[in-house]
Amino acid sequence: MLERTPAHVRPGTRVLVTGAARGIGAALATQLASHGARVAFTGIEPDALEAAASAADSPSYALDVSDRDAVDEVVDRVAADFGGLDVVVANAGIARQLPMTGGDPSVMERMLEVNTLGAYYTARAAARHVAHPGGYLLMTSSLAAAVHLPLLGAYSASKAAIEAVGDTLRIELRPDGARVGVAYFAELDTEMTSRGFDTGAAHALLGSRGTLSGLGSLPQAVDRIERGIARRSRTICAPAWVRPVVPLRHLAQRAVELRGFPNLREALEVARSEDAPWTTPQPDGRPSARHGEHAR
């Protein structure tokens, strides 16, 4: 008789989730805790982080993933507090529109700093703790890593780099028995998505549709993520239609290009002058603030 494929993590699984103050991170960490996992909520928004962790009866740890020393310290502290780690989810990330020409280069810099370097710092610190049979590291990429859209060049670049880091780590950690997964999400119903698409440039580009593919269900996505963690899956995709798009990325990219965006010129002009917010408030004194960016 075949063993039933697990849908939930095992009770007692020791998990660290970055970016757990809101959105996917908070929802995932909360659900894992509800199924008996020991979960460390980490993030940069102290009030939201504490509220999410307290509701799940779990500990919280302040963490800016773009600070390498802080990442090392917090990951080691969680491992000490939990007596080790079984799963680490490098989920923290930000987004903001950026025209490739005429846009503020500090947006690209900050995106790579948080999304790419932050994920790398997390994986680097976590690797020694999950490098055991049963260990699992999940790198949160995006469908944007595979299919690239106007105004999302910086975000796509940062997420494509995460995919590369995850693919490399999968090979490097295999001798220790650990596995590495890469998660690809389309537009999900989160604050990050609503903030990111609620700009003048996005409205000009997409019109009344609001998003390109429509909003996917966050609870369904979290179910898929937990199932992937329980199985230590190589790839996790949400919504389900994302899975065939990732390997067919070249065809999908060509379809996007042929589709065209009738109002693209107008959207680019709006984006070059629009003071759009980050999808996640950034700490004071970071490069975006020093360059006059709106970091709220």
Side-chain angles (χ1 to χ4, degrees), residues 15-87:
V15 184
L16 183 152
V17 181
T18 66
R22 64 172 71 242
I24 296 171
L28 174 63
T30 298
Q31 180 158 310
L32 295 179
S34 74
H35 291 151
R38 299 179 63 192
V39 185
F41 286 60
T42 74
I44 62 171
E45 301 172 87
D47 293 340
L49 181 67
E50 175 61 26
S54 295
D57 195 22
S58 298
S60 63
Y61 301 76
L63 178 60
D64 177 355
V65 295
S66 67
D67 183 335
R68 176 161 51 89
D69 291 338
V71 173
D72 287 344
E73 177 185 349
V74 169
V75 172
D76 287 347
R77 192 188 336 152
V78 173
D81 291 347
F82 283 12
L85 283 169
D86 303 303
V87 176

Side-chain angles (χ1 to χ4, degrees), residues 179-264:
R179 295 186 183 177
V180 176
V182 177
Y184 300 87
F185 306 131
E187 297 144 349
L188 299 177
D189 190 7
T190 65
E191 287 183 69
M192 182 175 186
T193 300
S194 60
R195 288 184 179 184
F197 285 93
D198 188 21
T199 67
H203 294 318
L205 185 67
L206 300 172
S208 59
R209 288 174 300 163
T211 67
L212 188 68
S213 61
L215 295 179
S217 164
L218 179 59
Q220 290 179 10
V222 170
D223 285 344
R224 296 181 71 86
I225 299 167
E226 182 180 9
R227 187 163 58 248
I229 291 173
R231 298 172 179 175
R232 297 200 298 159
S233 297
R234 184 182 189 279
T235 302
I236 299 173
C237 298
W241 61 262
V242 172
R243 181 169 293 278
V245 176
V246 173
L248 297 174
R249 62 184 65 193
H250 299 298
L251 293 177
Q253 182 64 36
R254 184 58 177 154
V256 168
E257 294 169 4
L258 291 174
R259 171 193 179 280
F261 296 87
N263 299 320
L264 177 58

Side-chain angles (χ1 to χ4, degrees), residues 266-284:
E266 176 190 352
L268 291 172
E269 288 301 322
V270 172
R272 290 181 182 119
S273 60
E274 185 175 22
D275 189 19
W278 288 102
T279 53
T280 301
Q282 295 300 287
D284 292 338

